[in-house]
Amino acid sequence: MDPHQFHWSAGQKCAVSLTYDDGLPVHYEYVGPALLEAGLHGTFNVLIRSDPLQHPEYWRKLAQSGHELANHTLFHPCRRNPDMTWLEECYDLCEYTPERLRAELQIANLILYLLDGKRERTFGNTCCDTTIGRGQQEMLMDVVLRKLFVAARGPGNSQIADVKKGINLMQVGHFSADKQNMGLEDIQKTILRAAEIGGWAVFMIHGVGKGTHSLYMDKSTHEKLVAWLAVNKADIWTAPFIEVAQYVKQHGGCK
Ligand SMILES: [Zn+2]
């Protein structure tokens, strides 16, 4: 299939995926229900060792309402630098081997399967990191990810996924949409740009509302964004990351 011929279903001009990271209580307490009320669904990149350990039943309910639970690892390993005091040294991705990453992701997938019964899964890269190992040993995670996932939300490169040129589903670029990085207008402008090129805009959000995470979107911004996406449904297809990835795969939008 020729990616140039790619088009979204039902005449929509672009796709948008809202992805929420780190397994926070605000995701099931507020975000999931707010999206549903607007007739939209989102992706929740669940960090297993945070809230889901205490409240698996809430995460199950979130999945049952049609939202996607995606893999955000068991322990949130990242390429560690000395400023990252929140991350124990033993979870430094620079020290991970492909075997160790694979094992961690497989167990996280199993736990998510026990929550939502799904076998197909996507990955939300922790800290937007796309490699493991150090120095000469540094390598792309793709080799591990390809066997486990439909797609991965990879680098935080602030780029629209240009499906008409063909994208790598293991490294889907995205925007960090927490208030520290973008306001409502920036987000809307990005989506309108995606509509111009027929692309897919993926946004990473952590908390919603002050106090829910050190990185967060204001509740009022979130409310306005969700309402705007709902009103513009005819032009903008807002859907979970996995749904859009599967569509792109089936319609020739990937390399
Ligand atoms: Zn995270």
Side-chain angles (χ1 to χ4, degrees):
M1 277 183 281
D2 177 5
H4 292 95
Q5 305 296 316
F6 181 93
H7 62 268
W8 301 106
S9 66
Q12 283 136 331
K13 294 177 180 152
C14 64
V16 167
S17 294
L18 302 177
T19 69
Y20 302 85
D21 285 24
D22 289 358
L24 309 173
V26 70
H27 294 163
Y28 53 74
E29 286 170 354
Y30 172 72
V31 179
L35 290 172
L36 267 197
E37 213 169 288
L40 305 175
H41 290 103
T43 293
F44 294 88
N45 286 314
V46 183
L47 172 60
I48 302 295
R49 88 154 180 192
S50 62
D51 188 79
L53 274 189
Q54 274 89 50
H55 304 112
E57 66 281 10
Y58 294 144
W59 294 93
R60 178 169 290 132
K61 222 173 130 200
L62 189 65
Q64 282 167 348
S65 61
H67 298 298
E68 176 189 10
L69 300 187
N71 190 322
H72 200 51
T73 76
L74 295 178
F75 306 114
H76 211 289
C78 289
R79 300 191 70 81
R80 196 173 179 278
N81 64 50
D83 301 335
M84 294 162 106
T85 47
W86 53 270
L87 182 68
E88 296 101 308
E89 278 179 39
C90 60
Y91 299 123
D92 186 348
L93 269 183
C94 302
E95 304 300 334
Y96 268 48
T97 60
E99 292 73 24
R100 182 174 173 194
L101 180 67
R102 185 178 302 117
E104 180 168 338
L105 296 178
Q106 279 175 321
I107 294 168
N109 269 356
L110 172 66
I111 293 167
L112 293 172
Y113 167 72
L114 295 174
L115 289 176
D116 68 8
K118 301 216 164 124
R119 289 289 188 192
E120 296 217 297
R121 195 68 59 193
T122 68
F123 181 54
N125 298 44
T126 44
C127 300
C128 313
D129 286 332
T130 55
T131 63
I132 54 171
R134 200 192 297 277
Q136 297 260 311
Q137 312 304 321
E138 186 171 353
M139 59 182 283
L140 282 172
M141 291 174 187
D142 292 31
V143 55
V144 174
L145 303 183
R146 268 181 206 289
K147 297 222 166 89
L148 300 176
F149 300 107
V150 175
R153 190 206 61 193
N157 55 5
S158 302
Q159 281 183 26
I160 295 160
D162 194 349
V163 290
K164 284 183 191 283
K165 288 187 179 156
I167 62 167
N168 175 358
L169 279 176
M170 294 303 128
Q171 287 190 43
V172 180
H174 67 276
F175 295 82
S176 178
D178 294 309
K179 73 179 281 185
Q180 291 84 353
N181 297 296
M182 286 176 110
L184 179 64
E185 249 183 61
D186 305 316
I187 297 170
Q188 288 170 323
K189 270 188 203 157
T190 301
I191 295 170
L192 294 175
R193 223 169 56 234
E196 276 167 29
I197 63 164
W200 176 21
V202 180
F203 296 97
M204 171 177 71
I205 303 156
H206 290 81
V208 174
K210 202 171 178 189
T212 55
H213 193 285
S214 57
L215 299 167
Y216 66 97
M217 181 182 279
D218 277 327
K219 219 169 180 180
S220 65
T221 303
H222 192 265
E223 237 166 65
K224 286 175 198 153
L225 174 62
V226 168
W228 184 76
L229 290 170
V231 167
N232 288 289
K233 260 183 200 166
D235 289 333
I236 303 166
W237 181 35
T238 302
F241 189 70
I242 192 164
E243 255 183 65
V244 180
Q246 279 162 334
Y247 183 90
V248 168
K249 201 170 170 181
Q250 285 157 12
H251 295 80
C254 58
K255 286 177 187 159

